[in-house]
Amino acid sequence: MTKKQKQELARLEKKILIKLPLVGGHRAYRPPINWTKELKEDVKVLLTQRRSLLNQMFECNPEEVERFCKVNNLLVDLTGKMHAKALSLYEGILKEGHDPDFDDDITVEATLQFVFSNYVDSVIRDYVEENIYGSQFSDMLDILTDLYEDDGDPECAFCETSFNLRHRVGMSASEYGLDNFLDDGISWDEAPLNRPEFEDICICHAVHDLCCNKLYSIPDLLRMNDFGVEVKVTPSASASTRRGCSCGKSSPSGR
């Protein structure tokens, strides 16, 4: 990591924050639904450049490797719980028996995502003594999560199934389409996660989604401290019943 890189990072983030002024001077940005198409594209370009630069700057010291492993393990655990909860909920529906007024068009859907609820709990600050990268991590994570919420793609893990008369209680999760086939014991160590320091870590698909499919950098991932799982049943438009449950939130810091 060089001084020039830190200066370029500060420049990029300043451009992003100038484009997205605070509402009333408070630490809240106008949601992306109020952005123009041109503004959203401009911000995405800047965030792409920021992710690339931060990944180049990433020092991957032993403390950061330990933190990466901790976040990865948490997401492995939460992904497993997400699939298990969806399976349990769907089997409960099957056990109730077929209800043609409700069951024919229902979908069981489960998601896992990073949650940015506030600047205090959502972004961890105390696992390093100082912010060696100089990034405004809280502001950037706030903007990124709003962006993915607006795009309808906030989750880093997902599963769903629709009611099927051929489904029977006791069938396997894979027969329902609720198995965790993406985490099969083979590491998702694609760039930028293909670092020698991570070779002993089986990187889960949720981490891959955040750092490869989305615009979060590895240093961003290490500061994520709030993840939530939601499992819900959505009936057809003609049905009035709505059932759901949440597995709550978890944070790698234990807070």
Side-chain angles (χ1 to χ4, degrees), residues 1 18 22 62 66 83 92 94 97 122 133 160 178 186 202 211 213 223 227:
M1 177 167 50
I18 288 174
L22 295 170
E66 181 182 358
H83 282 273
L94 294 177
S122 299
Y133 301 100
E160 71 172 4
L178 294 174
I186 299 176
C202 185
C211 293
N213 299 338
R223 286 157 179 81
F227 295 92

Side-chain angles (χ1 to χ4, degrees), residues 77-170:
D77 181 61
L78 289 176
T79 300
K81 289 179 177 178
M82 178 194 75
H83 282 273
K85 197 68 178 180
L87 176 61
S88 175
L89 185 58
Y90 187 55
E91 286 186 328
I93 293 170
L94 294 177
K95 288 176 182 177
E96 291 178 3
H98 179 232
D99 180 355
D101 293 330
F102 178 80
D103 291 337
D104 289 347
D105 295 310
I106 67 167
T107 297
V108 174
E109 178 181 312
T111 56
L112 165 63
Q113 68 183 78
F114 169 63
V115 179
F116 190 97
S117 55
N118 59 67
Y119 280 73
V120 177
D121 300 317
S122 299
V123 182
I124 192 166
R125 302 169 183 271
D126 56 5
Y127 91 97
V128 289
E129 293 182 359
E130 60 178 326
N131 180 356
I132 59 176
Y133 301 100
S135 173
Q136 299 187 56
F137 285 109
S138 293
D139 288 322
M140 295 298 110
L141 287 169
D142 187 8
I143 291 167
L144 279 161
T145 51
D146 277 352
L147 187 63
Y148 285 113
E149 285 283 356
D150 188 63
D151 284 348
D153 185 30
E155 64 275 353
C156 57
F158 169 84
C159 67
E160 71 172 4
T161 191
S162 297
F163 182 81
N164 190 318
L165 285 172
R166 293 191 296 272
H167 288 167
R168 296 287 183 270
V169 176

